[in-house]
């Protein structure tokens, strides 16, 4: 994988990739030219970092809308495209036949869990439209496993299949694993899983303990990003997630200064895809913030280890207190009636103080709505240290992008900008 900070070999590969990209994509040719960067002559990582601007998701979406369907980032003629994925936005993500599409990275992450030939893997991520389920399915096949294409939903059938095939490995979101466990209980069946690949949702310590003890399973937390694909996963030490990135240059940069972050520091991920890609991303910044763990891992894998902190854009100062939606999520998830939520911050003209409203989405009608709202307000005040009004709404009224683990739309800031 590419090192952090980058070394000479990484820079050589970066130069080669950028030159390829500039030849094939009108967007990137223009962008490098206006930044005064000649990709073939890029002298240092510093030059790359300080000159080439970041690409954010909004820019990518806008460019695809203006030049449908793939936008000007496209770097391959249609006949070279092997498959089409869609990620939230929606963003259309074409893939070249030669692109590894994240499976090499996933296969490494699967081996780090101690999973290999002879295991039966049950994949319960969605196989529809988004790339997640299919990608993980291919990776488990590559790792030598027998793979069950479970997908989401149809819990009773999934429990039956996992039981009858003797699935030893489970993969999916922790909330769906909890659903399968409860369903198996109702059916009087035991799920035979030995290890689990948890992804696409926060695996909180409480949730991990609950699932591990009730199922007798060892869970491994993993994370990825919609456009970039899989990023990092836990090894058997369960002390942070190793960055398993064969074809990515990952920068970790201070949120305020943009300077590279060292061991122990917290920084925003900026990723550049290395090698040929149909829709090449250069300095793509999804606004995910990670902490870089110091020291070497006891497992012997030298790949850097990360802990996901949250979305850079989601952190807000409310009534003088820094609040991350993940903290609010920890409180809200203690109420089984509640799902996604949004925090609306406002400072009405003439009002003396800011106002914070928690719009909590209900997944089922609460027995006593007023009592639930009161209790939620009190727990928020006690743990997040900010008083919030609480409004209960059906979960469908809260955008899906507000949900864990990214909370991209969980904060609605209506305060006038100074
Ligand atoms: Zn390790």
């Amino acid at each position: 994988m590419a090192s952090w900070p980058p070394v000479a070999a990484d820079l050589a590969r970066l130069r080669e990739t950028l030159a390829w990209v500039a030849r094939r994509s009108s967007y990137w040719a223009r962008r490098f030219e206006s930044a005064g960067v000649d990709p073939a002559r890029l002298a240092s990582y510093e030059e790359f970092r300080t000159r080439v601007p970041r690409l954010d998701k909004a820019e990518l979406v806008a460019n695809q809308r203006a030049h449908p369907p793939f936008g000007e980032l496209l770097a391959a003629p249609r006949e070279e495209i092997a498959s089409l994925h869609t990620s939230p936005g929606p963003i259309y993500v074409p893939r070249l036949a030669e692109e590894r599409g994240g499976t090499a990275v996933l296969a490494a992450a699967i081996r780090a869990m101690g999973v290999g030939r002879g295991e039966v893997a049950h994949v319960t991520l969605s196989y529809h439209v988004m790339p997640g389920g299919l990608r993980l399915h291919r990776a488990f096949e590559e790792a030598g496993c027998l793979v069950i294409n479970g997908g989401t939903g149809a819990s009773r059938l999934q429990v039956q299949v996992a039981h009858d095939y003797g699935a030893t490995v489970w993969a999916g979101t922790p909330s769906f694993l909890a659903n399968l466990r409860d369903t198996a209980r109702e059916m009087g069946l035991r799920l035979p899983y030995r290890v689990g690949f948890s992804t696409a949702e926060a695996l909180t310590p409480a949730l991990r303990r609950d699932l591990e003890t009730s199922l007798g399973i060892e869970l491994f937390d993993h994370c990825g990003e919609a456009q970039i694909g899989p990023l990092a996963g836990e090894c058997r030490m369960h002390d942070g997630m190793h960055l398993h990135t064969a074809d990515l240059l990952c920068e970790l940069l201070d949120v305020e200064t943009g300077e590279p972050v060292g061991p122990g520091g917290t920084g925003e991920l900026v990723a550049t895809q290395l090698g040929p890609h149909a829709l090449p991303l250069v300095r793509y910044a999804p606004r995910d913030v990670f902490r870089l763990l110091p020291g070497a891992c006891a497992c012997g894998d030298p790949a850097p280890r990360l802990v996901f902190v949250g979305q850079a854009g989601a952190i807000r100062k409310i009534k003088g207190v820094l609040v991350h939606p993940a903290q609010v999520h920890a409180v809200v998830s203690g109420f089984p009636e509640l799902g996604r939520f949004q925090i609306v911050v406002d400072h009405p003209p003439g009002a003396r103080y800011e106002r914070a409203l928690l719009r909590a989405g209900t997944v089922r009608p609460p027995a006593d709505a007023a009592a639930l709202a009161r209790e939620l307000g009190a727990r928020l005040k006690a743990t997040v240290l900010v008083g919030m009004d609480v409004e209960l709404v059906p979960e469908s009224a809260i955008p899906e992008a507000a949900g864990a683990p990214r909370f991209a739309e969980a904060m609605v800031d209506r305060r006038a900008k100074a």
Side-chain angles (χ1 to χ4, degrees):
M1 60 149 285
S3 316
W4 178 248
V7 296
D10 301 324
L11 193 67
R13 202 159 169 226
L14 181 63
R15 254 195 305 264
E16 199 179 291
T17 300
L18 298 186
W20 185 92
V21 164
R23 277 199 305 277
R24 286 171 160 245
S25 155
S26 60
Y27 177 90
W28 289 117
R30 208 167 58 228
R31 203 133 174 181
F32 297 149
E33 200 187 317
S34 62
V37 171
D38 178 355
R41 287 164 198 255
L42 193 67
S44 65
Y45 163 64
E46 271 309 287
E47 185 186 334
F48 174 69
R49 179 178 73 82
T50 52
R51 284 223 184 138
V52 179
R54 299 179 195 189
L55 171 70
D56 64 19
K57 185 176 161 170
E59 161 84 6
L60 180 54
V61 171
N63 190 278
Q64 288 202 336
R65 289 298 163 279
H67 308 273
F70 300 118
E72 301 168 300
L73 278 78
L74 188 69
R78 193 169 268 257
E79 60 272 18
E80 286 180 22
I81 298 171
S83 61
L84 300 170
H85 298 300
T86 307
S87 73
I91 295 173
Y92 297 132
V93 188
R95 188 175 66 89
L96 298 173
E98 62 186 293
E99 264 176 64
R100 289 191 272 187
T103 49
V105 175
L106 283 173
I110 288 166
R111 281 191 293 275
M113 292 164 57
V115 169
R117 201 156 291 284
E119 306 248 21
V120 179
H122 181 199
V123 177
T124 68
L125 276 186
S126 172
Y127 281 69
H128 298 292
V129 187
M130 310 286 163
L134 188 58
R135 185 147 59 192
L136 207 46
H137 189 106
R138 291 190 187 125
F140 275 110
E141 277 189 358
E142 233 169 87
C145 302
L146 271 168
V147 196
I148 306 168
N149 59 316
T152 54
S155 319
R156 289 181 74 87
L157 177 62
Q158 301 240 26
V159 167
Q160 193 69 52
V161 165
H163 173 267
D164 294 351
Y165 284 137
T168 50
V169 183
W170 161 88
T173 62
S175 60
F176 193 63
L177 181 60
N179 177 328
L180 291 178
R181 174 199 59 194
D182 298 344
T183 306
R185 260 188 208 144
E186 283 165 28
M187 295 168 71
L189 292 178
R190 195 192 148 269
L191 286 167
Y193 306 136
R194 178 178 77 76
V195 293
F197 184 113
S198 176
T199 187
E201 270 180 16
L203 182 63
T204 61
L207 184 56
R208 182 195 289 252
R209 251 193 323 275
D210 173 38
L211 291 168
E212 289 191 332
T213 45
S214 58
L215 284 161
I217 191 174
E218 181 183 3
L219 288 179
F220 292 77
D221 199 9
H222 291 77
C223 76
E225 197 278 331
Q227 259 61 246
I228 304 169
L231 275 172
E234 284 183 348
C235 66
R236 303 208 66 176
M237 299 298 136
H238 301 285
D239 186 16
M241 293 180 278
H242 284 284
L243 197 55
H244 289 295
T245 54
D247 300 313
L248 273 184
L249 178 84
C250 289
E251 304 171 70
L252 277 177
L253 305 174
D254 186 279
V255 176
E256 275 165 12
T257 65
E259 295 285 323
V261 155
T266 295
E268 185 179 346
L269 177 83
V270 178
T272 298
Q273 292 174 324
L274 300 173
H277 284 79
L279 193 84
L281 299 175
V282 177
R283 301 209 80 219
Y284 185 66
R287 311 237 59 201
D288 285 345
V289 175
F290 292 91
R291 190 156 52 87
L292 181 62
L293 295 185
C297 184
C299 79
D301 183 347
R305 286 169 302 148
L306 306 176
V307 174
F308 182 65
V309 174
Q311 272 262 312
I315 297 171
R316 289 284 185 285
K317 193 172 260 187
I318 303 175
K319 302 182 187 182
V321 180
L322 272 176
V323 177
H324 194 282
Q327 299 167 283
V328 176
H329 176 68
V331 176
V332 170
S333 60
F335 296 86
E337 301 93 335
L338 300 178
R340 294 190 298 274
F341 60 85
Q342 256 182 339
I343 302 157
V344 184
V345 195
D346 196 7
H347 197 162
R352 191 153 166 208
Y353 299 111
E354 289 180 354
R355 258 191 345 215
L357 169 70
L358 181 75
R359 300 180 71 228
T362 53
V363 291
R364 60 168 189 252
D368 184 343
L372 175 64
R374 233 181 1 256
E375 174 65 15
L376 180 55
R379 280 203 220 168
L380 284 169
K381 177 91 185 121
T383 53
V384 186
L385 308 177
V386 172
M388 292 188 198
D389 298 323
V390 173
E391 179 192 359
L392 299 178
V393 298
E395 195 192 33
S396 57
I398 308 288
E400 278 186 29
R406 299 188 182 284
F407 306 107
E409 291 178 22
M411 284 279 187
V412 181
D413 199 341
R414 295 206 176 126
R415 292 171 289 195
K417 296 285 181 290

